Amino acid sequence: MSSFVIEGGHRLHGEITPRGAKNEALEVICAVLLTDCRTVIRNIPDILDTRNLIRLLCDMRVKVDRIADDAYAFQADAVDVSYLESDEFINRMTALRGSVMLAGPLLARFGKAVIPHVGGDKIGRRRLDTHISGLRTLGAGLRYDAQRQLYDIDATSLRGAYMLLDEASVTGTANILMAATLAEGVTTIYNAACEPYIQQLSEMLNRMGARITGIGSNLLTVEGVPSLHGTEHTILPDMIEAGSFIGMAAMTGSDIVIKNTNYDKLGIIPDTFRRIGIRIERHGDDIHVPAHDSYEIETFMDGSIMTVADATWPGLTPDLLSVILVVATQAKGCVLIHQKMFESRLFFVDKLIDMGARIILCDPHRATVIGLGNRMRLRAAKMVSPDIRAGIALLIAAMSAEGTSRIDNIEQIDRGYQQIDTRLNALGAHISRI
């Protein structure tokens, strides 16, 4: 297990560029299984989750060629379907949450898939009902193997159907969408997720020969085709990284420029940070965050306390609530953070309370933050990263704190942020990896 040792109190200065979006990368890498033709994907972040997924494809006998630091060519023309039955494959899938999106492409092209109880962040229950229900609606058969704790899914053929998803699950929508591209007839997916990740996946699939309409809305229509061909695809910059850097700059009083953010795809993120008092200047696709001596949380128009809550797109992504919460601890004013989706994602606030933050954990989904302003800086602490987003939030807190902090289990941070210590040290941070 590795750790970060962070010497707090250093201001950052310079430029930083978000890497490719982790969530999109996991979707589009799984999509290469839908064709036996060569597919090139660029701007893949070099993080643990993408490396593990690519390694899993290699073990399935997908031809993988690294053609640049952030670009790979894939060709799934000799997939070993029997490998899906092996304990090794199941164990590898179980350790990687994003591997659940292999099910849709495998089922559509080879008529067989498995879905084990997958791992990932420790943020509470993450059910698979939407994935399984959608695939069954397309005609898949399902059998639960209690001994191996996995779902065996098979289908001689898939047929298009109308479905109303019980939740606008991003990974569930991606899985169903990929399976529907090769199903016979028309599939209508209502209450579909419409995040930029899904838009990017849909556009990639259309370039491969799929027929998907309604892209960017919550009503997707897919006209099935017999086969797909290869394409080239470039992953968007990671909006979560961009948001993390905005909060980091404000909390450390730094002046930084975040380059090439694809600003128009950030949705409500910049305005949410403005609501907690952070000045953001747009220059094309770049974001300039000037040095802040202080920042103040807005109230609602009637003077009541501001609430920041996650919501389905185009609402605020839940992946940034941890960052917004920690940044609010040093603002002037109060804010209620409402994390609706996951019941364990706010439990990391006890570490912030140990550092001197004033936070009331109302219940598993809500926390009230009483901003300290400039009256008191956070103090250093020893912490453990429970998940990717809490990990980066704790790193931001440590960078602003007085003294030297330590964060253990940083493999969680490495799952979502490429070489974050090296990149931040280049801006003036003092982070050591041990």
Side-chain angles (χ1 to χ4, degrees):
M1 181 182 293
S2 299
S3 304
F4 282 150
V5 175
I6 308 102
E7 184 181 297
H10 296 279
R11 294 197 175 198
L12 312 182
H13 184 79
E15 298 178 348
I16 191 166
T17 303
R19 297 296 194 255
K22 164 187 174 286
N23 292 342
E24 179 189 338
L26 298 177
E27 295 176 11
V28 298
I29 291 172
C30 290
V32 305
L33 289 169
L34 287 166
T35 177
D36 61 2
C37 299
R38 178 181 167 94
T39 301
V40 175
I41 303 177
R42 304 185 189 279
N43 201 29
I44 295 177
D46 187 14
I47 55 178
L48 282 177
D49 275 11
T50 56
R51 290 200 297 268
N52 287 337
L53 181 57
I54 291 170
R55 191 177 302 120
L56 187 57
L57 290 180
C58 289
D59 291 342
M60 295 167 64
R61 302 295 184 264
V62 175
K63 298 182 180 70
V64 179
D65 182 18
R66 190 170 189 173
I67 58 178
D69 286 345
D70 64 351
Y72 289 79
F74 302 88
Q75 188 163 2
D77 59 349
V79 174
D80 181 5
V81 180
S82 65
Y83 180 64
L84 306 184
E85 298 288 346
S86 69
D87 289 338
E88 179 182 330
F89 177 75
I90 301 304
N91 292 336
R92 297 282 293 279
M93 278 195 74
T94 301
L96 176 63
R97 173 75 189 178
S99 66
V100 69
M101 289 181 289
L102 293 170
L106 286 171
L107 185 66
R109 187 151 166 243
F110 302 105
K112 178 173 180 55
V114 294
I115 299 182
H117 289 293
V118 288
D121 292 327
K122 306 304 180 185
I123 56 178
R125 184 173 58 95
R126 305 179 75 177
R127 60 190 181 90
L128 297 172
D129 302 56
T130 303
H131 300 255
I132 292 169
S133 176
L135 296 177
R136 291 182 70 178
T137 302
L138 292 174
L142 181 73
R143 182 180 66 85
Y144 182 68
D145 186 333
Q147 183 176 355
R148 303 181 74 190
Q149 293 190 314
L150 57 81
Y151 293 96
D152 268 315
I153 309 173
D154 58 69
T156 54
S157 64
L158 297 178
R159 292 185 176 275
Y162 168 85
M163 63 184 78
L164 174 61
L165 303 188
D166 62 339
E167 64 171 342
S169 164
V170 176
T171 55
T173 299
N175 231 346
I176 296 164
L177 184 65
M178 289 187 281
T181 59
L182 296 180
E184 182 182 342
V186 176
T187 300
T188 304
I189 310 170
Y190 202 14
N191 194 31
C194 54
E195 273 81 351
Y197 314 130
I198 294 294
Q199 297 175 38
Q200 285 281 102
L201 173 64
S202 299
E203 290 165 2
M204 173 183 170
L205 293 172
N206 278 350
R207 289 195 303 274
M208 294 171 71
R211 297 174 182 173
I212 303 169
T213 57
I215 298 173
S217 75
N218 67 351
L219 178 60
L220 295 174
T221 302
V222 187
E223 184 180 344
V225 296
S227 62
L228 299 178
H229 52 75
T231 189
E232 293 197 6
H233 179 79
T234 300
I235 294 170
L236 287 175
D238 198 319
M239 69 172 77
I240 314 303
E241 272 207 359
S244 300
F245 297 148
I246 292 171
M248 186 179 296
M251 196 166 178
T252 59
S254 303
D255 185 316
I256 68 170
V257 174
I258 307 166
K259 301 288 290 182
N260 303 325
T261 64
N262 205 319
Y263 191 96
D264 290 334
K265 293 289 189 179
L266 295 179
I268 202 173
I269 291 172
D271 283 339
T272 302
F273 280 103
R274 290 188 180 105
R275 289 168 64 190
I276 60 174
I278 298 174
R279 297 191 304 279
I280 297 173
E281 301 169 1
R282 178 182 181 180
H283 302 286
D285 271 341
D286 300 342
I287 293 174
H288 175 222
V289 184
H292 287 67
D293 291 326
S294 64
Y295 48 100
E296 185 170 355
I297 301 168
E298 296 178 1
T299 62
F300 286 119
M301 294 178 66
D302 61 359
S304 58
I305 186 172
M306 176 64 64
T307 298
V308 177
D310 58 335
T312 53
W313 189 267
L316 180 67
T317 170
D319 284 347
L320 271 176
L321 278 187
S322 299
V323 171
I324 291 169
L325 186 151
V326 75
V327 174
T329 65
Q330 296 298 288
K332 296 178 182 177
C334 301
V335 63
L336 175 67
I337 303 295
H338 191 175
Q339 163 60 262
K340 300 175 183 176
M341 190 171 295
F342 303 113
E343 64 265 24
S344 301
R345 204 165 211 172
L346 295 181
F347 288 168
F348 79 101
V349 302
D350 62 337
K351 309 296 190 299
L352 299 176
I353 294 171
D354 290 343
M355 298 177 77
R358 295 183 179 179
I359 304 172
I360 302 169
L361 187 59
C362 308
D363 56 45
H365 293 275
R366 296 178 300 167
T368 301
V369 182
I370 299 96
L372 298 172
N374 290 326
R375 298 193 305 275
M376 185 186 303
R377 283 176 58 187
L378 298 178
R379 54 182 175 265
K382 182 176 179 181
M383 301 166 277
V384 177
S385 173
D387 65 79
I388 300 174
R389 308 311 174 186
I392 198 68
L394 293 175
L395 179 60
I396 294 171
M399 290 171 64
S400 73
E402 291 182 332
T404 300
S405 299
R406 175 173 171 145
I407 303 176
D408 295 331
N409 194 32
I410 60 169
E411 287 79 8
Q412 287 286 2
I413 303 175
D414 289 337
R415 289 181 49 227
Y417 293 84
Q418 178 178 332
Q419 298 175 329
I420 190 65
D421 50 332
T422 302
R423 294 159 67 198
L424 294 179
N425 285 342
L427 299 181
H430 287 214
I431 306 170
S432 301
R433 181 184 291 262
I434 61 172

